[in-house]
Amino acid sequence: MGNLSGKVAIVTGAGRGIGNCIALKLASQGAAVVVNDLDSGPAAETARAIERMGGRSVPVPGSVTDEGFAETFVGTAVDTFGGLDIIVNNAGYTWDSVIQKMTDEQWDAVLDVHLKAPFQILRAAQPVISQLVKSAKADRIAVPCRKVVNISSVAGLGGNPGQANYAAAKAGVTGLTKTMAKEWGRYNVTVNTVAFGLIRTRLTDTAADGDGSIDVAGRTIKVGVNPDLLAVMEQSIPLGRSGSPEEAAGAVYLLCTPESDYVSGQTLVCAGGFNI
C-alpha cells in the first residue's frame, strides 16, 4: 500500500535514467505503470523490475513520435489496468548546435519529441478521462484527482547556448501545461511541470573516451558534457553538485501525491537552488 495505491500511471522514456526512476518510484507507492521506451529491452527491464518489487507493469516500446503511438499508449493503460490516473511526459533527448548550423531536421526532431508528442498523448487521453469522470458522476461517487506532469528544463526557462531547439520545445511545454491546467480543471486533473537542472544521466555524463553518443531512429547523436565544463556547471549550483535521477523522480512524485491536489498550472524547478 502507498500514496498511489490503485492508481494507473503512464510514463514515457522510462527505460533508463530519470524516466526509469520515475516509473519505479510511482510503482513503489502502489501505482500500476505502463512503461515506454524507444528500445524494447530497457522498457521490458523496467517493467520486470516493477514486477519483482510486487508491482504491476506492462511495457509499450516505441518512439513517442510514431503515428498512432499516443492512442496505443493510452489504450494499453485502459485495456490492461482499467483506467488512467497519472500521465508523465518524460521522453526526450538533445541534439545541439548553434543556430546558424542547426538544420531543419534537428529543429523538427527535438520539437516533435519534447512538445508534439506530449500534446498528442494528452489529446489521446482526453476522451478516456472525460468518460471516467462521467462514469463517476453517474455512479454518484467522488471524482478522483488525476495528475499530469510534463517534464521541462531550466533551458526552457532561461535559454541555453547551442540549444535553440531544446529550449524552445521546453518553453512550449510550459505553455502547454498552463493551458491544460485550465482546460482540464473541470475534470479534477492537475497539470504541472517539473523543470530539471543538471541531473546526472547518460545524456550528461561524459563517456570514458570523452565522446559519448546515442542512436535515435538511426541518427547518431553526441551526448555527454566535457568534465571541465561539468565541474564549472556544478560550481554554479548552490548545493554544489548535480542531482541524481532518483532526486529528479522525487520532484515528479511530489506532484503525483494527494498532498498536491490543489497545485496546478505550476512549474517546479528541480535544480539544486540554481538561479536561472
Side-chain angles (χ1 to χ4, degrees):
M1 299 293 290
N3 275 340
L4 306 180
S5 180
K7 303 294 186 181
V8 178
I10 60 177
V11 184
T12 61
R16 304 178 178 91
I18 295 171
N20 169 266
C21 290
I22 293 170
L24 293 175
K25 181 66 176 180
L26 299 182
S28 75
Q29 292 299 311
V33 185
V34 181
V35 173
N36 158 260
D37 196 83
L38 181 62
D39 301 317
S40 59
E45 178 50 39
T46 298
R48 285 193 294 266
I50 290 172
E51 291 171 352
R52 286 194 296 268
M53 58 193 285
R56 298 182 298 158
S57 185
V58 60
V60 179
S63 173
V64 295
T65 64
D66 284 347
E67 184 176 354
F69 171 83
E71 290 75 15
T72 297
F73 194 39
V74 170
T76 299
V78 177
D79 295 343
T80 306
F81 300 120
L84 179 60
D85 301 286
I86 298 169
I87 300 171
V88 181
N89 285 307
N90 168 75
Y93 60 94
T94 56
W95 192 2
D96 299 348
S97 188
V98 291
I99 197 163
Q100 66 270 25
K101 296 181 179 179
M102 185 173 291
T103 66
D104 287 353
E105 182 186 14
Q106 280 177 280
W107 177 270
D108 290 342
V110 171
L111 267 288
D112 283 350
V113 71
H114 288 283
L115 188 56
K116 186 176 181 180
F119 149 71
Q120 291 177 327
I121 289 169
L122 295 174
R123 181 176 63 184
Q126 189 279 336
V128 171
I129 292 173
S130 176
Q131 185 55 53
L132 289 169
V133 170
K134 289 177 181 177
S135 296
K137 290 181 176 179
D139 294 338
R140 297 189 176 185
I141 60 176
V143 176
C145 185
R146 294 183 167 88
K147 310 283 187 168
V148 175
V149 182
N150 296 317
I151 303 305
S152 186
S153 165
V154 294
L157 302 176
N160 201 35
Q163 292 189 322
N165 50 2
Y166 181 69
K170 289 308 192 183
V173 167
T174 300
L176 177 63
T177 292
K178 289 183 177 295
T179 297
M180 296 312 302
K182 293 179 178 180
E183 288 193 14
W184 282 10
R186 64 195 177 107
Y187 298 137
N188 200 23
V189 177
T190 68
V191 187
N192 292 290
T193 298
V194 174
F196 293 132
L198 182 59
I199 307 294
R200 294 296 288 265
T201 70
R202 67 180 181 137
L203 298 183
T204 55
D205 275 334
T206 304
D209 60 3
D211 187 24
S213 64
I214 60 172
D215 181 84
V216 179
R219 307 182 185 103
T220 300
I221 297 174
K222 293 182 65 176
V223 297
V225 179
N226 177 282
D228 293 333
L229 177 59
L230 190 62
V232 171
M233 292 169 67
E234 289 188 324
Q235 289 173 9
S236 68
I237 299 170
L239 289 183
R241 60 177 178 83
S242 54
S244 70
E246 290 80 9
E247 289 170 322
V252 174
Y253 168 68
L254 288 175
L255 294 173
C256 295
T257 64
E259 287 79 3
S260 66
D261 282 358
Y262 202 59
V263 178
S264 194
Q266 304 304 306
T267 296
L268 171 62
V269 178
C270 177
F274 177 74
N275 187 21
I276 300 162

